[in-house]
Amino acid sequence: MSSVPADQLSPEQKDELLCTYSALILHDDGAEITPASMTNLIKAAGCTVEGYWPMLMAKMIKNVGMDGLIKMGSGAGGGGGGGGGGAAAGGGGGGGAAAAGGA
């Protein structure tokens, strides 16, 4: 959905996105993720969702766990970035070791 402008999303996609963002915000803040807290946050943003969305999302988060869901959603992207960072760090450290060994 991130490649589609928000105004081109279906109402169901917008509701899912609002619930996802509200859950991420609550998780980041360390708050309990409940249907009521999600609904309050969505309303505070000036938006509305169908009543069943926060309930479904909160139940899924309770069963799977927010950390597990985040890991599922970031599968391949996170691995690629981590490899690049590790290679760059290894290359820098290797150069220093070679310089120290050569002296």
Side-chain angles (χ1 to χ4, degrees):
M1 278 190 279
S2 64
S3 62
V4 178
D7 62 345
Q8 294 180 9
L9 296 174
S10 70
E12 294 81 16
Q13 290 172 319
K14 287 179 187 177
D15 286 0
E16 182 180 357
L17 198 57
L18 283 164
C19 286
T20 300
Y21 286 153
S22 68
L24 286 169
I25 291 167
L26 291 165
H27 175 72
D28 190 50
D29 196 41
E32 185 177 2
I33 302 170
T34 65
S37 62
M38 292 173 68
T39 301
N40 289 339
L41 188 55
I42 291 166
K43 285 182 181 178
C47 301
T48 60
V49 297
E50 292 291 331
Y52 61 88
W53 275 107
M55 196 171 14
L56 285 174
M57 293 288 282
K59 185 175 182 178
M60 179 177 61
I61 292 164
K62 182 179 179 184
N63 290 334
V64 178
M66 195 65 181
D67 291 331
L69 290 170
I70 291 170
K71 288 177 186 175
M72 282 183 216
S74 63

Coordinates of all heavy atoms in Angstrom, one line a residue:
M1 N 0.8 -1.2 0.0 CA 0.0 0.0 0.0 C 0.9 1.3 0.0 O 0.4 2.3 -0.4 CB -0.9 0.0 1.2 CG -2.2 -0.8 1.0 SD -3.4 -0.5 2.4 CE -2.7 -1.6 3.6
S2 N 2.1 1.2 0.4 CA 2.9 2.4 0.5 C 3.2 3.0 -0.8 O 3.6 4.1 -0.9 CB 4.2 2.1 1.3 OG 5.0 1.1 0.5
S3 N 3.1 2.2 -1.9 CA 3.4 2.8 -3.2 C 2.2 3.4 -3.8 O 2.2 4.0 -4.9 CB 3.9 1.6 -4.1 OG 2.8 0.7 -4.3
V4 N 1.0 3.4 -3.1 CA -0.2 4.0 -3.6 C -0.5 5.2 -2.8 O -0.5 5.2 -1.6 CB -1.4 3.0 -3.5 CG1 -2.7 3.6 -4.0 CG2 -1.1 1.7 -4.3
P5 N -0.8 6.4 -3.4 CA -1.2 7.5 -2.6 C -2.5 7.2 -1.8 O -3.4 6.5 -2.2 CB -1.6 8.6 -3.7 CG -0.8 8.1 -4.9 CD -0.8 6.6 -4.9
A6 N -2.5 7.8 -0.6 CA -3.6 7.5 0.4 C -5.0 7.8 -0.2 O -5.9 7.1 0.1 CB -3.4 8.3 1.7
D7 N -5.1 8.8 -1.0 CA -6.4 9.2 -1.6 C -6.9 8.1 -2.6 O -8.0 8.2 -3.1 CB -6.4 10.6 -2.2 CG -5.5 10.8 -3.3 OD1 -4.6 9.9 -3.5 OD2 -5.6 11.8 -4.0
Q8 N -6.0 7.2 -3.0 CA -6.4 6.2 -4.0 C -6.7 4.8 -3.3 O -7.0 3.8 -4.0 CB -5.3 6.0 -5.0 CG -5.2 7.2 -5.9 CD -4.1 7.0 -7.0 OE1 -3.6 6.0 -7.2 NE2 -3.8 8.1 -7.7
L9 N -6.6 4.8 -2.0 CA -6.8 3.5 -1.2 C -8.3 3.3 -1.1 O -9.1 4.3 -1.0 CB -6.2 3.6 0.2 CG -4.7 3.6 0.2 CD1 -4.2 3.8 1.6 CD2 -4.1 2.4 -0.4
S10 N -8.8 2.1 -1.0 CA -10.2 1.8 -0.7 C -10.4 2.1 0.7 O -9.5 2.2 1.5 CB -10.4 0.3 -1.0 OG -9.8 -0.5 0.0
P11 N -11.7 2.2 1.1 CA -12.0 2.5 2.5 C -11.5 1.4 3.4 O -11.0 1.8 4.5 CB -13.6 2.5 2.5 CG -13.9 2.9 1.1 CD -12.9 2.3 0.2
E12 N -11.5 0.2 3.0 CA -11.0 -0.9 3.9 C -9.5 -0.8 4.0 O -9.0 -1.0 5.1 CB -11.4 -2.3 3.2 CG -12.8 -2.6 3.2 CD -13.6 -1.9 2.0 OE1 -12.9 -1.5 1.1 OE2 -14.8 -1.8 2.1
Q13 N -8.8 -0.4 3.0 CA -7.4 -0.3 3.1 C -7.0 0.9 4.0 O -6.0 0.8 4.7 CB -6.8 -0.1 1.7 CG -6.8 -1.3 0.8 CD -6.4 -1.0 -0.6 OE1 -6.7 0.0 -1.2 NE2 -5.6 -1.9 -1.2
K14 N -7.8 2.0 3.9 CA -7.5 3.1 4.8 C -7.7 2.8 6.2 O -6.9 3.1 7.1 CB -8.4 4.3 4.4 CG -8.0 5.0 3.1 CD -9.0 6.1 2.8 CE -8.7 6.7 1.4 NZ -9.7 7.8 1.1
D15 N -8.8 2.0 6.5 CA -9.1 1.6 7.9 C -8.0 0.7 8.4 O -7.5 0.9 9.5 CB -10.4 0.8 7.9 CG -11.6 1.7 7.8 OD1 -11.5 2.9 7.6 OD2 -12.7 1.1 7.8
E16 N -7.5 -0.2 7.6 CA -6.4 -1.1 8.0 C -5.1 -0.3 8.2 O -4.4 -0.5 9.2 CB -6.1 -2.2 6.9 CG -5.0 -3.1 7.3 CD -4.8 -4.2 6.2 OE1 -5.5 -4.2 5.2 OE2 -3.9 -5.0 6.4
L17 N -4.8 0.6 7.4 CA -3.6 1.5 7.5 C -3.7 2.3 8.8 O -2.7 2.4 9.6 CB -3.5 2.4 6.3 CG -2.1 3.0 6.1 CD1 -1.0 1.9 6.0 CD2 -2.1 3.8 4.8
L18 N -4.9 2.9 9.1 CA -5.1 3.7 10.3 C -4.9 2.9 11.5 O -4.2 3.3 12.5 CB -6.4 4.4 10.3 CG -6.6 5.6 9.4 CD1 -8.1 5.9 9.2 CD2 -5.9 6.8 10.0
C19 N -5.4 1.7 11.5 CA -5.2 0.8 12.7 C -3.8 0.3 12.8 O -3.3 0.3 14.0 CB -6.1 -0.4 12.5 SG -7.9 -0.1 12.8
T20 N -3.1 0.1 11.7 CA -1.7 -0.3 11.8 C -0.9 0.8 12.4 O 0.0 0.6 13.3 CB -1.2 -0.7 10.4 OG1 -2.0 -1.8 9.9 CG2 0.3 -1.0 10.4
Y21 N -1.1 2.0 11.9 CA -0.3 3.2 12.4 C -0.6 3.4 13.9 O 0.3 3.7 14.6 CB -0.6 4.4 11.6 CG 0.0 4.4 10.2 CD1 -0.5 5.2 9.2 CD2 1.2 3.7 9.9 CE1 0.1 5.2 7.9 CE2 1.8 3.7 8.7 CZ 1.2 4.5 7.7 OH 1.8 4.5 6.4
S22 N -1.9 3.3 14.2 CA -2.2 3.6 15.6 C -1.6 2.5 16.5 O -1.1 2.8 17.6 CB -3.7 3.6 15.9 OG -4.3 2.3 15.6
A23 N -1.5 1.3 16.1 CA -0.9 0.2 16.9 C 0.6 0.4 17.0 O 1.2 0.3 18.1 CB -1.2 -1.2 16.3
L24 N 1.2 0.9 15.9 CA 2.7 1.2 15.9 C 3.0 2.3 16.9 O 4.0 2.3 17.6 CB 3.2 1.5 14.5 CG 3.3 0.3 13.6 CD1 3.5 0.7 12.2 CD2 4.4 -0.7 14.0
I25 N 2.1 3.3 16.8 CA 2.3 4.5 17.7 C 2.2 4.1 19.2 O 3.0 4.4 20.0 CB 1.3 5.6 17.4 CG1 1.7 6.2 16.0 CG2 1.3 6.7 18.5 CD1 0.6 7.1 15.5
L26 N 1.2 3.3 19.5 CA 1.0 2.8 20.9 C 2.1 2.0 21.3 O 2.6 2.1 22.4 CB -0.4 2.1 21.0 CG -1.6 3.0 20.8 CD1 -2.9 2.1 20.6 CD2 -1.8 3.9 22.0
H27 N 2.6 1.1 20.4 CA 3.7 0.2 20.8 C 4.9 1.0 21.0 O 5.7 0.7 22.0 CB 3.9 -0.8 19.6 CG 5.1 -1.7 19.8 ND1 5.1 -2.7 20.7 CD2 6.3 -1.7 19.2 CE1 6.3 -3.3 20.6 NE2 7.0 -2.7 19.7
D28 N 5.2 1.9 20.2 CA 6.4 2.8 20.3 C 6.4 3.6 21.6 O 7.4 3.8 22.2 CB 6.5 3.7 19.1 CG 7.8 4.4 19.1 OD1 8.9 3.8 19.2 OD2 7.8 5.7 18.9
D29 N 5.2 3.9 22.0 CA 5.0 4.7 23.3 C 5.0 3.8 24.5 O 5.0 4.3 25.6 CB 3.7 5.5 23.2 CG 3.6 6.6 24.2 OD1 4.7 7.3 24.4 OD2 2.5 6.8 24.8
G30 N 5.0 2.5 24.3 CA 4.9 1.6 25.4 C 3.5 1.5 26.1 O 3.4 0.9 27.1
A31 N 2.5 2.0 25.3 CA 1.1 1.9 25.8 C 0.5 0.5 25.5 O 0.9 -0.1 24.5 CB 0.3 3.0 25.3
E32 N -0.5 0.2 26.2 CA -1.2 -1.1 25.9 C -2.0 -0.9 24.6 O -2.7 0.2 24.4 CB -2.2 -1.4 27.1 CG -2.9 -2.7 26.9 CD -3.7 -3.1 28.1 OE1 -3.8 -2.3 29.0 OE2 -4.3 -4.2 28.0
I33 N -2.0 -1.9 23.8 CA -2.7 -1.8 22.5 C -4.0 -2.5 22.7 O -4.1 -3.7 22.7 CB -1.9 -2.5 21.4 CG1 -0.5 -1.8 21.2 CG2 -2.6 -2.4 20.0 CD1 0.5 -2.4 20.3
T34 N -5.1 -1.7 22.8 CA -6.4 -2.2 23.0 C -7.3 -1.6 21.9 O -7.0 -0.5 21.3 CB -7.0 -1.8 24.4 OG1 -7.1 -0.4 24.4 CG2 -6.1 -2.3 25.5
P35 N -8.5 -2.2 21.6 CA -9.4 -1.5 20.7 C -9.7 -0.1 21.1 O -9.8 0.8 20.2 CB -10.6 -2.4 20.7 CG -10.1 -3.8 21.1 CD -9.0 -3.5 22.1
A36 N -9.9 0.1 22.4 CA -10.3 1.5 22.8 C -9.2 2.5 22.6 O -9.4 3.6 22.2 CB -10.7 1.4 24.3
S37 N -7.9 2.1 22.9 CA -6.8 3.0 22.8 C -6.5 3.3 21.3 O -6.2 4.4 20.9 CB -5.5 2.4 23.5 OG -5.1 1.2 22.9
M38 N -6.7 2.3 20.5 CA -6.5 2.5 19.0 C -7.6 3.4 18.5 O -7.3 4.4 17.8 CB -6.6 1.2 18.3 CG -5.4 0.3 18.6 SD -5.6 -1.4 17.8 CE -5.5 -1.0 16.1
T39 N -8.9 3.2 18.9 CA -10.0 4.1 18.5 C -9.8 5.5 18.9 O -10.0 6.4 18.2 CB -11.3 3.5 19.0 OG1 -11.5 2.2 18.5 CG2 -12.5 4.4 18.5
N40 N -9.3 5.7 20.2 CA -9.1 7.0 20.7 C -8.0 7.8 19.9 O -8.2 8.9 19.6 CB -8.7 7.0 22.2 CG -9.9 6.6 23.1 OD1 -11.1 6.7 22.7 ND2 -9.6 6.1 24.2
L41 N -7.0 7.1 19.6 CA -5.9 7.7 18.8 C -6.3 8.0 17.4 O -6.0 9.1 16.9 CB -4.7 6.7 18.8 CG -3.4 7.2 18.2 CD1 -2.9 8.5 18.9 CD2 -2.3 6.2 18.3
I42 N -7.1 7.1 16.8 CA -7.6 7.4 15.4 C -8.6 8.6 15.4 O -8.5 9.5 14.6 CB -8.3 6.1 14.9 CG1 -7.2 5.0 14.6 CG2 -9.1 6.4 13.6 CD1 -7.8 3.6 14.4
K43 N -9.4 8.7 16.5 CA -10.3 9.8 16.6 C -9.6 11.1 16.8 O -9.9 12.2 16.3 CB -11.3 9.6 17.7 CG -12.4 8.6 17.3 CD -13.4 8.4 18.4 CE -14.5 7.4 18.1 NZ -15.5 7.2 19.2
A44 N -8.5 11.0 17.6 CA -7.7 12.2 17.9 C -7.0 12.7 16.7 O -6.7 13.9 16.5 CB -6.7 11.9 19.0
A45 N -6.8 11.8 15.7 CA -6.2 12.2 14.4 C -7.2 12.8 13.5 O -6.9 13.2 12.4 CB -5.5 11.0 13.8
G46 N -8.5 12.8 13.9 CA -9.5 13.3 13.0 C -10.0 12.3 12.0 O -10.6 12.7 11.0
C47 N -9.8 11.0 12.3 CA -10.2 10.0 11.3 C -11.2 9.0 12.0 O -11.4 9.1 13.2 CB -9.0 9.2 10.9 SG -7.7 10.2 10.1
T48 N -11.8 8.2 11.2 CA -12.7 7.2 11.7 C -12.4 5.9 11.0 O -11.9 5.9 9.8 CB -14.2 7.5 11.5 OG1 -14.4 7.7 10.1 CG2 -14.6 8.8 12.3
V49 N -12.7 4.7 11.6 CA -12.7 3.4 11.0 C -13.9 2.6 11.3 O -14.6 3.0 12.3 CB -11.4 2.7 11.4 CG1 -10.1 3.4 11.0 CG2 -11.4 2.4 12.9
E50 N -14.2 1.6 10.6 CA -15.3 0.7 10.9 C -14.9 0.1 12.3 O -13.8 -0.2 12.6 CB -15.4 -0.4 9.9 CG -15.9 0.1 8.5 CD -17.4 0.5 8.6 OE1 -18.1 0.0 9.4 OE2 -17.7 1.4 7.8
G51 N -16.0 -0.1 13.1 CA -15.8 -0.5 14.5 C -15.1 -1.9 14.7 O -14.4 -2.1 15.7
Y52 N -15.1 -2.7 13.7 CA -14.5 -4.1 13.9 C -13.0 -4.0 13.7 O -12.3 -4.9 14.1 CB -15.1 -5.1 12.9 CG -15.0 -4.8 11.5 CD1 -13.9 -5.2 10.8 CD2 -16.0 -4.1 10.8 CE1 -13.8 -4.9 9.4 CE2 -15.9 -3.8 9.4 CZ -14.8 -4.2 8.8 OH -14.7 -3.9 7.4
W53 N -12.5 -3.0 13.0 CA -11.0 -3.0 12.7 C -10.2 -3.0 13.9 O -9.2 -3.8 14.1 CB -10.7 -1.9 11.7 CG -10.9 -2.2 10.3 CD1 -11.9 -1.8 9.5 CD2 -10.1 -3.1 9.5 NE1 -11.7 -2.3 8.2 CE2 -10.6 -3.1 8.2 CE3 -8.9 -3.8 9.7 CZ2 -10.1 -3.9 7.2 CZ3 -8.4 -4.6 8.7 CH2 -9.0 -4.6 7.5
P54 N -10.3 -2.0 14.9 CA -9.5 -2.0 16.0 C -9.6 -3.3 16.9 O -8.6 -3.8 17.4 CB -10.0 -0.8 16.9 CG -10.6 0.1 15.8 CD -11.2 -0.9 14.8
M55 N -10.8 -3.9 16.9 CA -11.0 -5.1 17.6 C -10.2 -6.3 17.0 O -9.5 -7.0 17.7 CB -12.5 -5.5 17.7 CG -12.8 -6.5 18.7 SD -14.6 -6.8 19.0 CE -15.4 -6.0 17.6
L56 N -10.2 -6.4 15.7 CA -9.5 -7.4 15.0 C -8.0 -7.2 15.1 O -7.2 -8.2 15.4 CB -9.8 -7.4 13.5 CG -11.2 -8.0 13.1 CD1 -11.4 -7.8 11.6 CD2 -11.3 -9.5 13.5
M57 N -7.5 -6.0 15.0 CA -6.1 -5.7 15.0 C -5.6 -6.0 16.5 O -4.5 -6.6 16.6 CB -5.8 -4.3 14.6 CG -6.1 -4.0 13.2 SD -4.9 -4.7 12.0 CE -3.5 -3.6 12.2
A58 N -6.3 -5.6 17.5 CA -5.9 -5.7 18.8 C -5.8 -7.2 19.2 O -4.9 -7.7 19.9 CB -6.8 -5.0 19.8
K59 N -6.8 -8.0 18.7 CA -6.8 -9.4 18.9 C -5.6 -10.1 18.3 O -4.9 -11.0 18.8 CB -8.1 -10.1 18.4 CG -8.2 -11.5 18.8 CD -9.6 -12.1 18.4 CE -9.7 -13.5 18.8 NZ -11.0 -14.0 18.4
M60 N -5.3 -9.7 17.0 CA -4.1 -10.3 16.3 C -2.8 -9.9 17.0 O -2.0 -10.8 17.2 CB -4.1 -9.8 14.9 CG -2.9 -10.3 14.1 SD -2.9 -9.7 12.4 CE -2.8 -8.0 12.6
I61 N -2.7 -8.7 17.5 CA -1.5 -8.3 18.2 C -1.4 -9.0 19.5 O -0.3 -9.5 19.9 CB -1.5 -6.8 18.4 CG1 -1.4 -6.0 17.1 CG2 -0.5 -6.3 19.4 CD1 -1.8 -4.6 17.1
K62 N -2.5 -9.3 20.2 CA -2.4 -10.0 21.4 C -2.0 -11.5 21.2 O -1.2 -12.0 22.0 CB -3.8 -10.0 22.1 CG -3.9 -10.7 23.4 CD -5.2 -10.7 24.1 CE -5.2 -11.4 25.4 NZ -6.6 -11.5 26.0
N63 N -2.5 -12.1 20.1 CA -2.1 -13.5 19.8 C -0.7 -13.7 19.2 O 0.0 -14.6 19.6 CB -3.2 -14.1 18.8 CG -4.5 -14.3 19.5 OD1 -4.6 -14.4 20.7 ND2 -5.5 -14.3 18.7
V64 N -0.3 -12.8 18.4 CA 1.0 -12.9 17.7 C 2.1 -12.1 18.4 O 3.2 -12.5 18.4 CB 0.9 -12.5 16.2 CG1 2.2 -12.6 15.5 CG2 -0.2 -13.3 15.5
G65 N 1.7 -11.0 18.9 CA 2.7 -10.1 19.5 C 3.1 -9.0 18.5 O 3.3 -9.3 17.3
M66 N 3.3 -7.8 19.0 CA 3.7 -6.7 18.1 C 5.1 -6.9 17.5 O 5.3 -6.7 16.3 CB 3.6 -5.4 18.9 CG 3.6 -4.2 18.0 SD 2.1 -4.2 16.9 CE 2.4 -2.7 16.0
D67 N 6.0 -7.4 18.3 CA 7.3 -7.6 17.8 C 7.3 -8.6 16.7 O 8.0 -8.5 15.7 CB 8.3 -8.0 18.9 CG 8.6 -6.9 19.9 OD1 8.5 -5.7 19.5 OD2 8.8 -7.2 21.1
G68 N 6.6 -9.7 16.9 CA 6.5 -10.7 15.8 C 5.9 -10.2 14.6 O 6.3 -10.5 13.5
L69 N 4.8 -9.4 14.7 CA 4.2 -8.8 13.5 C 5.2 -7.8 12.8 O 5.2 -7.8 11.5 CB 2.9 -8.0 13.9 CG 1.8 -9.0 14.3 CD1 0.6 -8.1 14.9 CD2 1.3 -9.8 13.1
I70 N 5.9 -7.1 13.5 CA 6.9 -6.1 12.9 C 8.0 -6.9 12.2 O 8.3 -6.6 11.0 CB 7.5 -5.2 14.0 CG1 6.5 -4.2 14.5 CG2 8.7 -4.5 13.4 CD1 6.9 -3.5 15.7
K71 N 8.4 -8.0 12.8 CA 9.4 -8.8 12.1 C 8.9 -9.5 10.8 O 9.6 -9.6 9.8 CB 9.9 -9.9 13.0 CG 10.8 -9.4 14.1 CD 11.2 -10.5 15.1 CE 12.0 -9.9 16.3 NZ 12.3 -10.9 17.3
M72 N 7.6 -9.9 10.8 CA 7.0 -10.5 9.6 C 6.9 -9.4 8.5 O 7.2 -9.8 7.4 CB 5.6 -10.9 9.9 CG 5.4 -12.2 10.7 SD 3.7 -12.6 10.8 CE 3.7 -13.3 12.4
G73 N 6.6 -8.2 8.8 CA 6.5 -7.2 7.8 C 7.8 -6.6 7.3 O 7.8 -6.0 6.3
S74 N 8.9 -6.9 8.0 CA 10.1 -6.3 7.5 C 11.1 -7.3 7.1 O 12.3 -7.0 7.0 CB 10.7 -5.4 8.7 OG 11.0 -6.2 9.8
G75 N 10.7 -8.5 6.8 CA 11.5 -9.6 6.4 C 12.7 -9.3 5.6 O 13.8 -9.2 6.1
A76 N 12.6 -9.2 4.3 CA 13.7 -9.1 3.4 C 14.4 -7.8 3.5 O 15.6 -7.7 3.4 CB 13.3 -9.4 2.0
G77 N 13.7 -6.7 3.7 CA 14.3 -5.4 3.7 C 15.3 -5.2 4.8 O 16.3 -4.6 4.6
G78 N 15.0 -5.7 6.0 CA 15.9 -5.5 7.1 C 17.2 -6.3 6.9 O 18.3 -5.8 7.2
G79 N 17.1 -7.5 6.3 CA 18.3 -8.3 6.1 C 19.3 -7.6 5.2 O 20.5 -7.7 5.4
G80 N 18.8 -7.1 4.1 CA 19.7 -6.5 3.1 C 20.4 -5.3 3.7 O 21.6 -5.1 3.4
G81 N 19.7 -4.5 4.4 CA 20.3 -3.3 5.0 C 21.4 -3.7 6.1 O 22.5 -3.1 6.1
G82 N 21.1 -4.7 6.8 CA 22.0 -5.1 7.9 C 23.3 -5.6 7.3 O 24.4 -5.4 7.8
G83 N 23.2 -6.4 6.1 CA 24.4 -6.9 5.5 C 25.3 -5.8 5.0 O 26.5 -5.9 5.1
G84 N 24.7 -4.8 4.4 CA 25.5 -3.7 3.9 C 26.2 -2.9 5.0 O 27.4 -2.6 4.9
G85 N 25.6 -2.7 6.1 CA 26.2 -2.0 7.2 C 27.3 -2.9 7.8 O 28.4 -2.3 8.2
G86 N 27.1 -4.2 7.9 CA 28.1 -5.0 8.5 C 29.4 -5.1 7.6 O 30.5 -5.0 8.1
A87 N 29.2 -5.1 6.3 CA 30.3 -5.2 5.4 C 31.1 -3.9 5.4 O 32.3 -3.9 5.4 CB 29.8 -5.4 3.9
A88 N 30.4 -2.8 5.5 CA 31.1 -1.5 5.6 C 31.9 -1.4 6.9 O 33.0 -0.9 6.9 CB 30.1 -0.3 5.5
A89 N 31.3 -1.8 8.0 CA 32.0 -1.8 9.3 C 33.2 -2.7 9.3 O 34.3 -2.4 9.7 CB 31.1 -2.1 10.4
G90 N 33.0 -3.9 8.6 CA 34.1 -4.8 8.6 C 35.3 -4.3 7.7 O 36.5 -4.5 8.0
G91 N 34.9 -3.6 6.7 CA 36.0 -3.1 5.8 C 36.8 -2.0 6.5 O 38.0 -2.0 6.4
G92 N 36.1 -1.2 7.3 CA 36.8 -0.1 8.0 C 37.8 -0.7 9.0 O 38.9 -0.3 9.2
G93 N 37.3 -1.7 9.8 CA 38.1 -2.3 10.8 C 39.3 -3.1 10.2 O 40.4 -3.1 10.8
G94 N 39.0 -3.7 9.1 CA 40.1 -4.5 8.4 C 41.2 -3.6 8.0 O 42.4 -3.9 8.1
G95 N 40.9 -2.4 7.5 CA 41.9 -1.5 7.0 C 42.8 -1.0 8.2 O 44.0 -1.0 8.1
G96 N 42.2 -0.8 9.3 CA 42.9 -0.4 10.5 C 43.8 -1.5 11.0 O 45.0 -1.3 11.4
A97 N 43.3 -2.7 10.9 CA 44.2 -3.9 11.4 C 45.3 -4.1 10.4 O 46.4 -4.4 10.9 CB 43.3 -5.1 11.4
A98 N 45.1 -3.9 9.1 CA 46.2 -4.0 8.2 C 47.3 -3.0 8.4 O 48.5 -3.2 8.3 CB 45.7 -4.0 6.7
A99 N 46.8 -1.8 8.7 CA 47.8 -0.7 8.9 C 48.6 -0.9 10.2 O 49.8 -0.7 10.3 CB 47.0 0.6 9.0
A100 N 47.9 -1.5 11.2 CA 48.6 -1.7 12.5 C 49.6 -2.9 12.3 O 50.7 -2.8 12.8 CB 47.6 -2.1 13.6
G101 N 49.2 -3.9 11.5 CA 50.1 -5.0 11.3 C 51.3 -4.7 10.4 O 52.4 -5.2 10.6
G102 N 51.1 -3.7 9.5 CA 52.2 -3.3 8.6 C 53.2 -2.4 9.3 O 54.3 -2.3 8.9
A103 N 52.9 -1.8 10.5 CA 53.8 -0.9 11.1 C 54.8 -1.5 11.9 O 55.3 -2.3 12.2 CB 53.0 0.1 12.0

